[in-house]
Amino acid sequence: MAHKSILVALALAIATTEFGSVATTAGQTPLQPQDLFGLSLASTPQVRPDSSLIAYVRKSNDVMTDMAHNSVWLVDPKTRFQFQVSSGAADSTQPKWSANGDRLAYVRATKGTAADILIYKPSDQTTTLVARVERSPGHLAWSPDGRSIAFIMTEPHPDDVLGAPLVKPPGANWAEPLLVVGNVAYRSDGVGALKPGNAHVFVVATAGTANTTAGAPRQLTTGKYDDDGPLAWTPDGTALVFTSKRGTDWQRDPLRNSLFRVQVADGAMTRLSTVEGPYASPSFSFDGRHLAYTGFTDRYRGYENRRLFVADADGGHPRMLAGDLDRSLEDPVWSADDRSIYAKYTDRGVTKVARIDVASGKRVEVATGLGGDGFDLPYSGGDFSVGHDGTLAFTSSTSDRPPELSIVRKGRATQLTRLNAALLDRRSLGRVEALAVKSSFDGAPVDAWLVLPPAFDPARKYPMILEIHGGPYASYGPGFATDGQLYAAAGYVVVYANPRGSTSYGDAFANGIEHSYPGTDYDDLMSTVDAVVAKGIVDPARLFVTGGSGGGVLTAWIVGKTHRFRAAVAQKPVINWSSEVLTSDIYPWMAKYWFGKMPWEDPQKYWALSPLSLVGNITTPTLVVVGDQDIRTPVPESEQLYGALQLRGVPTGLVKVPGAFHDMAARPSHAAAKASAVLAWFARYDVGAATPTQVTAR
């Protein structure tokens, strides 16, 4: 409760003293924390085969439930008229058109863990219940004849038991039974403890009665292995291709998998890929002669580009397409004439879609500026879909708007939705502009962006916030982000960058921190700060730093290396790598890929790269923020930093976000309160502030 009260106090303090303090255009006001409840975004577009309709998922924050809800919508690309397909308050996701476009399948979450697979028929606007399952299905895939839908779902196993169970008397109130863990992967961030079981391929007939009768799915694959999607039907409808981890000791080697084909009639299995690797996204050409997929040769490095391959239908004679592109290619989709493959990739923080000629490998950019499925931070990402006539739908994002639904038709891009116009047209937002940086380490170019306060005055010197992305193998781009906009609304120049380790710049740049993280990324970030100071728009005595996850690691590392920042907020950081790599939910691969050795094999290396090793140097007032259910960067990592700083007498505070996993911004109120807490902490130590906010953290 004490931690919660700190969060509330910080939020209230900054809400009353900082937000709204920046002059803006007449009739407009800066973005406010309360505005987060009014935001929506588009994701998962699905073009009807004849391109006459486009389905998408609308994610909308709801002020009454403090949750983001998903609903399925249809848009007419000619008239831009749209209407909601799904009904009720339950989350609806995964829209998928049948092969001839007469029906749209989607998944609706029901009470508890159950879910419905539903089919909507546009011709008569009826909805049919196909199946009700106890566990959420994923990767829906229609059979070519439309008579079946395949999906991935977990088959539960009985809980492990050690010892003879006691018999509880009728009516007795006993404690919960012992939880016995035996699997390598026994929990997952965002989910918590995992029930014993394995993910397998299922298929269900699509014949059903409107909203009344549900079919019984049939399981096609079995065994103590995990199967995964996306699923690809063979064009004749007799088999499915999928990814599976069926190698020896696969739980301890989680990136090793292969492509398999399963016969729908009898479950007979055939392995298609001859070399084990992280293969995914199988997709058959329309004539059935070729199979496209993505993957790479695993060299146990922190990052590898995902390559695009085309093989014979049986997996033979694979060849790489666009091998000269030093970027990851994902989500391959065949053109209707089988001459091209569409795939997305991220280049210097901006996600794009290319059309790649199958014969020559020549690629043409067809869409750019895709936006990811989040509000708070400007991570690269996005979704797309292609109709038979080449109409391409994608989620488009700009610096002043969350992702919207757009299309490209005959080379012309058109935005179909304006989901946030009613709110954001009334807000004066911070302008986002690119900043060129050269690293002091080796002169390498580093991409960075500034978010300027509304009504920015270049003659003034503003306080500055360095905001650092996580991953570390990820990238920011010039998209919309509520954190940056809220910081700018409070009067800060915000800068964020893609330092060494960031993706979308090639594998050499990403692996610049291989087995040395943190490392040269620190130099890149300090060079970014120097570049902002050199512009003359910020006060070098009023610098602040924050970041989450990998950005939390670097925040703690930075304040251990330099005293140039007035205050810091380390969000969900890693402080001690030895404890992190053995307690995170992704521990089976973290040590192997990021360090090359286990902590007991090279303890000195682990210690040298741990921010805890630098804590004796820290004098910067540092707030630590973490979700109290976080198991990606577990809570004790944050508690170690807080405890160490308390013992040293460095001003510090610990904020735990109640009920939050690693994604502390999953609930709008938490996203707003977290940003407010960051600003309140900085305001307390801002020597240039007219009235510093006084906050006591205990």
Side-chain angles (χ1 to χ4, degrees):
M1 292 300 292
H3 298 309
K4 185 175 181 180
S5 66
I6 292 172
L7 184 63
V8 173
L10 289 167
L12 291 176
I14 194 63
T16 57
T17 60
E18 290 293 331
F19 285 108
S21 64
V22 179
T24 61
T25 304
Q28 293 182 322
T29 57
L31 191 72
Q32 304 289 317
Q34 192 76 13
D35 291 337
L36 272 59
F37 290 104
L39 294 174
S40 298
L41 61 77
S43 71
T44 328
Q46 291 290 304
V47 181
R48 196 177 191 177
D50 66 2
S51 300
S52 63
L53 289 171
I54 300 171
Y56 76 98
V57 173
R58 182 185 296 185
K59 178 179 179 180
S60 301
N61 288 338
D62 177 38
V63 70
M64 298 307 294
T65 62
D66 191 21
M67 296 287 288
H69 291 292
N70 296 304
S71 53
V72 176
W73 290 69
L74 286 179
V75 182
D76 183 329
K78 291 183 179 179
T79 65
R80 304 189 193 183
F81 173 76
Q82 59 178 307
F83 59 95
Q84 186 173 343
V85 171
S86 57
S87 60
D91 266 7
S92 296
T93 57
Q94 302 184 59
K96 193 71 88 172
W97 289 105
S98 59
N100 65 5
D102 65 336
R103 290 163 293 166
L104 180 77
Y106 64 95
V107 173
R108 180 181 65 192
T110 55
K111 292 183 179 180
T113 58
D116 294 334
I117 299 176
L118 301 166
I119 291 178
Y120 176 78
K121 194 173 181 181
S123 61
D124 58 12
Q125 300 181 15
T126 58
T127 300
T128 301
L129 177 64
V130 173
R132 174 161 291 168
V133 291
E134 294 182 0
R135 298 160 306 281
S136 181
H139 301 292
L140 269 61
W142 284 86
S143 63
D145 61 9
R147 296 180 179 180
S148 301
I149 293 176
F151 55 92
I152 298 288
M153 187 173 66
T154 298
E155 175 199 14
H157 299 161
D159 291 341
D160 288 337
V161 176
L162 286 175
L166 300 175
V167 178
K168 183 171 67 173
N173 184 16
W174 282 17
E176 291 293 319
L178 301 179
L179 175 63
V180 180
V181 175
N183 289 331
V184 175
Y186 63 94
R187 57 181 184 163
S188 178
D189 191 78
V191 177
L194 298 174
K195 286 294 231 179
N198 292 103
H200 288 303
V201 181
F202 290 76
V203 66
V204 64
T206 58
T209 305
N211 290 323
T212 56
T213 303
R218 179 166 60 93
Q219 185 173 338
L220 295 185
T221 61
T222 60
K224 290 193 173 183
Y225 309 98
D226 278 345
D227 302 326
D228 200 2
L231 297 166
W233 284 86
T234 55
D236 61 9
T238 63
L240 286 152
V241 173
F242 59 98
T243 294
S244 187
K245 301 171 183 176
R246 292 175 177 253
T248 58
D249 207 23
W250 64 270
Q251 291 191 70
R252 293 175 182 83
D253 211 356
L255 293 192
R256 293 304 186 101
N257 55 44
S258 297
L259 294 175
F260 288 83
R261 182 176 62 227
V262 58
Q263 295 298 125
V264 175
D266 58 10
M269 297 270 293
T270 305
R271 178 171 169 170
L272 300 185
S273 53
T274 57
V275 178
E276 283 196 353
Y279 296 126
S281 302
S283 177
F284 278 101
S285 59
F286 284 86
D287 64 11
R289 296 173 55 196
H290 296 101
L291 177 69
Y293 58 91
T294 64
F296 57 83
T297 299
D298 193 358
R299 291 181 281 181
Y300 295 102
R301 300 194 301 175
Y303 174 80
E304 298 288 350
N305 281 326
R306 185 167 285 277
R307 300 297 189 177
L308 174 63
F309 296 91
V310 172
D312 295 341
D314 62 1
H317 305 101
R319 63 186 178 92
M320 186 187 301
L321 291 186
D324 61 324
L325 179 63
D326 190 13
R327 303 289 187 266
S328 279
L329 287 163
E330 300 178 280
D331 303 336
V333 177
W334 288 86
S335 63
D337 61 8
D338 288 337
R339 295 180 179 178
S340 303
I341 295 175
Y342 295 85
K344 74 176 182 183
Y345 65 102
T346 303
D347 178 38
R348 300 184 62 178
V350 178
T351 302
K352 306 176 180 182
V353 179
R355 185 177 67 248
I356 303 167
D357 185 83
V358 174
S360 67
K362 181 182 179 181
R363 64 184 181 277
V364 177
E365 180 185 306
V366 292
T368 187
L370 277 68
D373 187 17
F375 295 110
D376 60 325
L377 296 168
Y379 280 107
S380 309
D383 305 316
F384 77 97
S385 175
V386 185
H388 287 175
D389 66 352
T391 296
L392 185 143
F394 65 104
T395 54
S396 61
S397 179
T398 57
S399 62
D400 60 353
R401 293 295 185 273
E404 301 278 359
L405 180 66
S406 293
I407 62 169
V408 173
R409 211 174 226 171
K410 297 180 179 180
R412 180 183 176 185
T414 305
Q415 184 177 314
L416 299 182
T417 62
R418 296 187 72 235
L419 303 180
N420 298 282
L423 170 64
L424 295 182
D425 284 355
R426 296 183 288 109
R427 295 290 177 259
S428 179
L429 299 177
R431 187 174 77 252
V432 177
E433 61 180 42
L435 174 70
V437 177
K438 285 194 174 182
S439 175
S440 62
F441 175 70
D442 57 2
V446 175
D447 281 347
W449 291 267
L450 294 171
V451 186
L452 302 175
F456 171 72
D457 180 359
R460 287 182 54 190
K461 287 189 181 293
Y462 293 84
M464 189 209 78
I465 295 174
L466 170 64
E467 207 285 328
I468 310 170
H469 76 64
Y473 301 106
S475 65
Y476 276 164
F480 178 83
T482 57
D483 274 10
Q485 290 295 337
L486 290 173
Y487 299 161
Y492 290 84
V493 167
V494 183
V495 63
Y496 58 90
N498 285 332
R500 223 70 54 109
S502 299
T503 56
S504 77
Y505 298 87
D507 63 2
F509 190 87
N511 285 308
I513 59 168
E514 184 186 12
H515 300 169
S516 59
Y517 167 59
T520 52
D521 42 0
Y522 168 81
D523 302 289
D524 295 347
L525 290 169
M526 292 304 97
S527 299
T528 300
V529 174
D530 293 339
V532 183
V533 172
K535 287 178 69 70
I537 61 174
V538 301
D539 183 345
R542 300 172 66 192
L543 306 180
F544 303 87
V545 59
T546 188
S549 193
V553 176
L554 283 163
T555 298
W557 186 262
I558 284 169
V559 294
K561 299 276 284 185
T562 179
H563 303 301
R564 71 188 300 188
F565 295 93
R566 297 296 305 175
V569 180
Q571 303 179 44
K572 49 193 179 184
V574 175
I575 299 303
N576 185 340
W577 283 114
S578 291
S579 55
E580 162 71 12
V581 301
L582 296 175
T583 56
S584 174
D585 65 325
I586 54 175
Y587 80 99
W589 61 263
M590 185 176 279
K592 182 183 300 183
Y593 287 88
W594 287 9
F595 289 89
K597 293 183 179 180
M598 296 299 165
W600 55 88
E601 295 173 332
D602 195 351
Q604 291 304 315
K605 181 176 185 178
Y606 275 79
W607 178 248
L609 295 174
S610 294
L612 189 59
S613 69
L614 301 177
V615 78
N617 300 334
I618 298 176
T619 60
T620 305
T622 302
L623 181 70
V624 189
V625 185
V626 67
D628 70 2
Q629 302 298 309
D630 194 335
I631 51 179
R632 180 61 46 84
T633 55
V635 177
E637 293 297 315
S638 292
E639 292 173 333
Q640 287 182 74
L641 178 58
Y642 173 73
L645 294 178
Q646 283 285 17
L647 290 174
R648 293 200 59 250
V650 177
T652 187
L654 175 63
V655 172
K656 292 186 178 181
V657 183
F661 287 96
H662 196 60
D663 181 5
M664 299 186 298
R667 307 194 74 164
S669 69
H670 284 160
K674 178 185 69 70
S676 297
V678 170
L679 288 168
W681 186 260
F682 290 164
R684 179 178 181 184
Y685 297 100
D686 188 354
V687 295
T691 308
T693 304
Q694 297 300 316
V695 179
T696 300
R698 354 173 203 187

